Amino acid sequence: MARTGHKNAARRVLIWLVAIFAVLTAVLGGGVLTGHASWAPKLALDLEGGTQMILAPKVEGSTGINEEQLNQAVAIIRQRVDSSGVAEAEITTQSGRNVVVSLPGTPSSETRALIQASADMNFRPVITTGDPAAVPVASRTPDASLPKPTAAPANASDSNWVTADVYKAFEALDCVNPAQDKQPRSDPAKPLVTCEPATAKTPAVKYILGPVEVKGQDIVSSSFDPVQGAQGSVTNAWGVTITFDSNATKTFKDVTQRLNQFYVASQAQGGNDPKAQFAIVLDDQVISAPRALAVITDGKPQITGNFTQASAQALSDQLRYGALPISFDIQSEEQISATLGGEQLRLGLLAGVIGLLLVVVYSLFQYRALGFVTILSLVVAGGLTYLAIAILGWTENYRLSLAGVAGLIVAIGQTADSFIVYFERIRDELREGKGLVSAVANGWKRAKRTVLASKAVNLLAALVLYFVAVGNVRGFAFTLGLTALADLLVVFMFTHPTLQVLSRTKFFGEGHRFSGLDPERLGAVPLYRGAGRLRTPTEKPAVVRARNTGAAAEAERRMTIAERRLAEKQAQLAGSSNGTKEEK
């Protein structure tokens, strides 16, 4: 009953694996039928070719641009390209004057306009905030209950800015999984529905903001310093100080005077009115929304909170970069050929095929028919990885680069290594004299821990490499981690269940000479030797042929410490006895 139960459980696991394959294929097929996906994975710039644009940054009111401003320009463009969903883009500087942007494929007119546009930083008052997730369609406010302005807005914080359309957009916006669709720049004279992205310490926030009241160009400077206490002593907290020009100083005073009234009123009621917040918006995305705790009369507000030195510096840099009125002119634009990348891809695939053939030859030579399980496992792992890459290319715009192909080739050896560990554990159990069913069960218990530890190290290395490295190396780390997960899935859901089923077949169960699990060829010494005799520690496996010497020696080495010590003691006693007889 127990054996039948194990067999049925193995078949159920295999059926689940088939179901996973079917679901992934159906998802990708649905994307292909709707025209949003392709059966072929998306390729990166080095394999597909693309467009290279040389941009000349220019700062309004200045004839030149220094190195710091050029680095700021690169940071701004990288942020825009990443936010537009274009993957594997390369952004570098050239001759200390220009910025070179290389994008896979042909960029759309929207992407080109987004790259050329100048930074857009401004300050808007917060009207309301909400849960970052989109409101489910069934739970959204009915049309009859949507807000209706009762009068013209009196100021930028007035709730009469929230019309029915604005509130519908607020409920539909998803800040947890923001859409990658490119949106046109917002109108500074109208309210804005937008997000503040989540960070490691704070969740995402959804806002309705009033019209622009202060522009980023009005910032003279920004700095980050330790916050001083009431007595002038330096504390461990960090803050960011902004300095506005003379015109914005008066405007900012009026704004903070209004917002501070909301703050004082809410504190009196024990609440926290979002209208007391002033949002700093860069490219229509909130980067910070501090509250107005006081009226700022000198044009030098200080933002405090749970800043570390690094986060305070990051916000200060964003304020300084965003305040720069940098725009970009396209000096030249050309198509990059993928000839070099295509040749490298061909050689890489050739290396992969050679490596795969070597693994196949080794598996068949070393494990006979059992080697076909290795081959099928590699095919299953390859299929899962292919579907995952194709679906990620569709949903996450993931592109396969040459470094990613290298990660896939390296994964062939790592995947085969898992099977070798498992098979050798089974052979060890057979050498102990156990039957194949028991050998598979016990071998799996021992191999599972090794495989899990090995893949945990691979995943850890891939994660560190992905978050520390930049450029194409991240593609290598991503495919390395992806194949490690696929390997785990295959070992647990295909290789082990398949061996459970095969161990009950006549060919493998009886140890056919070509099965790769022949106990006699492995040099196994059965525990029961027949005629009421059991295996003794001194009994060595019979050497059938010279090439089985290694297997027999392996069986001998696998004696326990107690067995080995007993054998040595008996050998010493036997030697002593022979010596005594000779003296007589």
Side-chain angles (χ1 to χ4, degrees):
M1 290 296 290
R3 292 187 173 186
T4 304
H6 285 302
K7 188 175 180 179
N8 292 335
R11 287 177 174 170
R12 283 197 295 271
V13 174
L14 290 173
I15 292 173
W16 272 109
L17 181 62
V18 172
I20 291 174
F21 255 105
V23 169
L24 291 177
T25 305
V27 169
L28 183 59
V32 174
L33 290 176
T34 56
H36 294 95
S38 169
W39 289 110
K42 287 186 176 179
L43 300 179
L45 183 66
D46 55 352
L47 298 180
E48 185 186 25
T51 303
Q52 185 182 72
M53 293 185 291
I54 298 178
L55 307 176
K58 60 179 182 180
V59 180
E60 293 179 13
S62 176
T63 55
I65 184 168
N66 56 40
E67 183 178 355
E68 183 184 8
Q69 291 172 330
L70 189 64
N71 292 333
Q72 294 169 7
V74 171
I76 291 171
I77 291 180
R78 179 170 287 114
Q79 181 179 356
R80 291 175 180 174
V81 170
D82 290 344
S83 64
S84 66
V86 177
E88 297 286 346
E90 296 178 2
I91 303 167
T92 58
T93 59
Q94 182 187 63
S95 305
R97 296 194 307 271
N98 298 325
V99 178
V100 180
V101 181
S102 302
L103 305 172
T106 303
S108 63
S109 56
E110 291 82 2
T111 302
R112 188 178 283 103
L114 183 67
I115 292 174
Q116 286 185 265
S118 60
D120 181 24
M121 171 170 280
N122 50 59
F123 294 74
R124 293 171 179 259
V126 176
I127 296 178
T128 189
T129 60
D131 190 284
V135 178
V137 176
S139 304
R140 292 180 185 176
T141 307
D143 290 346
S145 302
L146 288 171
K148 295 178 182 177
T150 55
N155 53 57
S157 300
D158 197 329
S159 298
N160 283 317
W161 285 107
V162 183
T163 62
D165 291 338
V166 170
Y167 199 78
K168 284 183 179 178
F170 180 70
E171 289 189 323
L173 181 63
D174 186 359
C175 296
V176 178
N177 299 298
Q180 299 295 330
D181 298 338
K182 294 170 281 296
Q183 301 293 330
R185 284 284 172 84
S186 63
D187 188 340
K190 294 182 178 179
L192 173 66
V193 177
T194 186
C195 304
E196 180 178 359
T199 66
K201 295 183 178 179
T202 59
V205 183
K206 186 161 57 178
Y207 293 95
I208 297 180
L209 306 177
V212 173
E213 293 199 284
V214 179
K215 295 181 179 179
Q217 290 88 333
D218 297 331
I219 296 176
V220 176
S221 66
S222 68
S223 60
F224 62 102
D225 303 288
V227 177
Q228 292 186 345
Q231 303 300 323
S233 58
V234 177
T235 66
N236 291 327
W238 286 83
V240 178
T241 302
I242 307 172
T243 302
F244 288 109
D245 61 19
S246 56
N247 292 330
T249 296
K250 182 180 183 310
T251 305
F252 200 73
K253 173 189 172 184
D254 297 338
V255 172
T256 54
Q257 195 166 22
R258 185 182 73 241
L259 301 187
N260 184 251
Q261 292 175 357
F262 293 119
Y263 174 73
V264 173
S266 63
Q267 290 296 302
Q269 298 174 0
N272 187 14
D273 192 347
K275 286 188 175 182
Q277 293 177 265
F278 203 42
I280 304 171
V281 183
L282 178 61
D283 287 345
D284 287 342
Q285 198 171 66
V286 175
I287 59 175
S288 183
R291 291 177 296 171
L293 306 183
V295 179
I296 308 299
T297 59
D298 59 356
K300 296 181 180 179
Q302 186 181 49
I303 304 172
T304 58
N306 297 322
F307 286 116
T308 62
Q309 182 178 359
S311 61
Q313 181 179 1
L315 179 58
S316 175
D317 289 344
Q318 282 182 306
L319 289 165
R320 193 163 60 250
Y321 299 165
L324 275 177
I326 295 180
S327 58
F328 304 92
D329 287 334
I330 297 180
Q331 296 287 309
S332 66
E333 180 175 342
E334 61 180 352
Q335 296 297 313
I336 304 174
S337 171
T339 304
L340 181 59
E343 179 65 14
Q344 291 174 337
L345 177 62
R346 189 183 66 80
L347 294 175
L349 292 177
L350 180 61
V353 171
I354 292 174
L356 187 61
L357 287 176
L358 289 176
V359 170
V360 169
V361 170
Y362 173 80
S363 298
L364 295 178
F365 176 77
Q366 180 70 15
Y367 297 108
R368 306 296 193 275
L370 193 61
F372 287 106
V373 178
T374 301
I375 298 170
L376 288 175
S377 299
L378 286 173
V379 171
V380 173
L384 284 173
T385 306
Y386 160 77
L387 288 171
I389 289 177
I391 292 175
L392 287 173
W394 167 33
T395 58
E396 303 297 328
N397 203 22
Y398 170 75
R399 290 177 178 270
L400 186 63
S401 65
L402 196 60
V405 174
L408 295 177
I409 295 172
V410 170
I412 295 174
Q414 293 184 342
T415 304
D417 183 59
S418 301
F419 309 143
I420 291 173
V421 168
Y422 184 24
F423 295 163
E424 288 301 324
R425 294 292 182 270
I426 294 175
R427 286 183 158 190
D428 289 343
E429 296 294 329
L430 290 174
R431 292 187 183 104
E432 295 277 353
K434 295 178 181 175
L436 182 56
V437 175
S438 300
V440 168
N442 294 335
W444 173 243
K445 289 179 183 177
R446 296 169 58 194
K448 184 169 59 176
R449 291 193 294 269
T450 306
V451 171
L452 286 174
S454 171
K455 296 309 163 190
V457 172
N458 288 347
L459 281 173
L460 184 62
L463 284 173
V464 172
L465 198 60
Y466 183 82
F467 286 107
V468 172
V470 296
N472 287 337
V473 180
R474 300 185 73 182
F476 174 81
F478 184 83
T479 52
L480 193 65
L482 183 65
T483 51
L485 292 175
D487 183 19
L488 278 178
L489 196 67
V490 170
V491 171
F492 277 78
M493 299 192 69
F494 179 78
T495 310
H496 176 54
T498 300
L499 279 178
Q500 284 182 303
V501 174
L502 293 179
S503 65
R504 291 168 173 81
T505 62
K506 182 178 180 181
F507 182 78
F508 285 95
E510 295 183 357
H512 191 279
R513 56 180 303 196
F514 292 117
S515 67
L517 299 172
D518 181 4
E520 185 178 353
R521 296 176 68 86
L522 294 174
V525 180
L527 180 62
Y528 182 67
R529 306 304 307 275
R533 292 187 304 117
L534 296 177
R535 182 184 65 192
T536 64
T538 58
E539 283 187 290
K540 298 181 179 179
V543 180
V544 180
R545 286 185 296 179
R547 65 178 178 178
N548 281 343
T549 305
E554 173 65 20
E556 183 182 0
R557 282 196 296 272
R558 288 194 54 76
M559 287 193 301
T560 65
I561 295 175
E563 290 174 335
R564 191 176 298 114
R565 287 180 176 175
L566 180 60
E568 292 172 354
K569 187 176 180 180
Q570 290 177 341
Q572 290 176 356
L573 290 174
S576 174
S577 174
N578 292 334
T580 305
K581 288 179 180 179
E582 289 175 0
E583 289 176 359
K584 289 180 179 179

